[in-house]
Amino acid sequence: MFKKIIVYSTCLSIIGCQAIENPLANVSSNAISSSGCAEKPIVSLSGKDVETVALNESTITKSGQVSASKNIGYTFTATTGQKLSYSTDADICIWVFTPDNEILKGGELSKNGKYIIQVAAPQGAKTFDLKMSLGLLETASSTPTESPTNNPENTSENNNSQSSLENDNLQPENDISQEQALELVQKWYAAKPRIFAPPFDRDLLNELATGKLYQRVGGEGGSIDWLQKYNRYYTYNKSAITNIMGFSSSGSRPYIKVRVVEELYLQGEKGIDKTNSGEYKIDYIYFFTKENGTWKIYNNENI
């Protein structure tokens, strides 16, 4: 996807308007009102200012410029049981209207029909890039079909992990530094060519991962089993962490948030699977846990 981007991304949950300062501001499942944004938009959108977009589990990016008096809208069709994910670096206000013209007050899209995302600036003029995608509430597949927004390490457990992230901010500090967390994630990307391709090294996987990540990749029916069963593997031309977006050593699951650029190709008996290959840029959060005195990656998810 970005994204289920899977690009699955975090689920949008807005009460009224939210001013977003960075791509991680929408991590919380609770609404955060900004003093710079009204509870409801003061500008009514006209048809010429609303663009129809086709949202699914893949992530799309829309760019534009808005102000307090000049708003932009995006309309999409969704079904009950889906969620909206988004991220942006811009300081903008966002409202989401349901098919019955009510402002969305939760992450779940509980109605079938057309939704409208309205974008404005709290003051002045703001240029923005807005990433959007849809994801199902429940996804259990561990098949590692990969695309520029969906690779074999992705998780579908965003809600549970995010709840623990919010609560962990109130917990004691752990003895893992940002440098150690970054080094562990870098080792993970360096190891992926040996984990998701011959020799499908589960011992190496065990050195770096545990918990949900290990089970999803190396457990029964996980990514490695799927690749071996269908005689496939990944090759990696590029894996780079380009930005550290956040870090916390608190609680039972310390974490680091990073932006990753990766170029990878799914190889099969008939050559490269072009529909599941390419270069992508995506934001990840990696959770850590200590196992027998050693810090390992416990889980990861798209943000």
Side-chain angles (χ1 to χ4, degrees), residues 19-286:
I20 310 158
E21 296 178 355
N22 58 63
L24 304 175
N26 64 327
V27 166
S28 174
S29 61
N30 299 318
I32 304 174
S33 297
S34 168
S35 59
C37 295
E39 192 171 307
K40 295 182 179 181
I42 60 175
V43 173
S44 297
L45 291 171
S46 62
K48 63 183 179 63
D49 296 321
V50 180
E51 178 182 352
T52 299
V53 294
L55 291 189
N56 51 41
E57 292 183 1
S58 298
T59 299
I60 66 171
T61 301
K62 290 295 179 179
S63 302
Q65 185 177 67
V66 290
S67 66
S69 59
K70 174 64 175 179
N71 293 190
I72 290 177
Y74 301 101
T75 182
F76 63 94
T77 301
T79 58
T80 301
Q82 291 183 300
K83 284 191 175 183
L84 177 66
S85 304
Y86 77 98
S87 68
T88 180
D89 289 315
D91 179 17
I92 55 176
C93 302
I94 294 179
W95 301 266
V96 179
F97 288 90
T98 65
D100 53 7
N101 205 34
E102 298 291 333
I103 291 180
L104 184 69
K105 294 185 178 180
E108 181 179 352
L109 305 183
S110 58
K111 297 179 181 293
N112 295 336
K114 289 187 176 182
Y115 290 76
I116 296 176
I117 302 172
Q118 185 166 344
V119 184
Q123 59 183 356
K126 303 289 184 180
T127 300
F128 68 89
D129 294 318
L130 180 63
K131 298 178 182 179
M132 300 173 283
S133 69
L134 289 178
L136 296 176
L137 284 174
E138 296 180 1
T139 54
S141 174
S142 60
T143 301
T145 51
E146 185 150 351
S147 70
T149 53
N150 182 22
N151 74 54
E153 61 180 283
N154 283 344
T155 180
S156 60
E157 313 228 5
N158 295 1
N159 292 340
N160 293 337
S161 297
Q162 193 53 54
S163 296
S164 64
L165 184 155
E166 293 166 9
N167 294 332
D168 283 348
N169 289 331
L170 305 177
Q171 301 297 321
E173 297 289 315
N174 289 284
D175 63 347
I176 183 172
S177 66
Q178 178 175 302
E179 291 73 21
Q180 289 173 309
L182 177 61
E183 182 181 7
L184 184 51
V185 175
Q186 289 173 330
K187 287 181 178 179
W188 166 251
Y189 280 95
K192 286 176 71 174
R194 290 182 57 83
I195 293 173
F196 297 105
F200 298 106
D201 196 337
R202 282 184 168 86
D203 290 336
L204 180 58
L205 173 64
N206 185 57
E207 291 178 13
L208 301 171
T210 187
K212 294 179 180 180
L213 179 58
Y214 183 91
Q215 289 301 317
R216 191 167 63 252
V217 175
E220 183 177 356
S223 299
I224 291 176
D225 282 354
W226 185 89
L227 290 166
Q228 291 180 315
K229 178 179 179 180
Y230 293 101
N231 195 25
R232 297 187 179 188
Y233 63 94
Y234 283 98
T235 57
Y236 296 82
N237 285 2
K238 180 196 305 181
S239 294
I241 297 172
T242 61
N243 191 22
I244 299 174
M245 305 168 65
F247 171 75
S248 173
S249 60
S250 300
S252 60
R253 297 284 183 267
Y255 64 85
I256 191 170
K257 302 170 184 177
V258 295
R259 180 161 294 166
V260 178
V261 175
E262 194 166 34
E263 182 182 354
L264 68 169
Y265 297 91
L266 178 59
Q267 309 283 347
E269 295 178 347
K270 297 182 180 180
I272 295 175
D273 181 348
K274 294 182 179 179
T275 62
N276 292 293
S277 302
E279 181 176 341
Y280 69 89
K281 179 173 68 175
I282 193 167
D283 299 336
Y284 270 116
I285 181 168
Y286 283 86

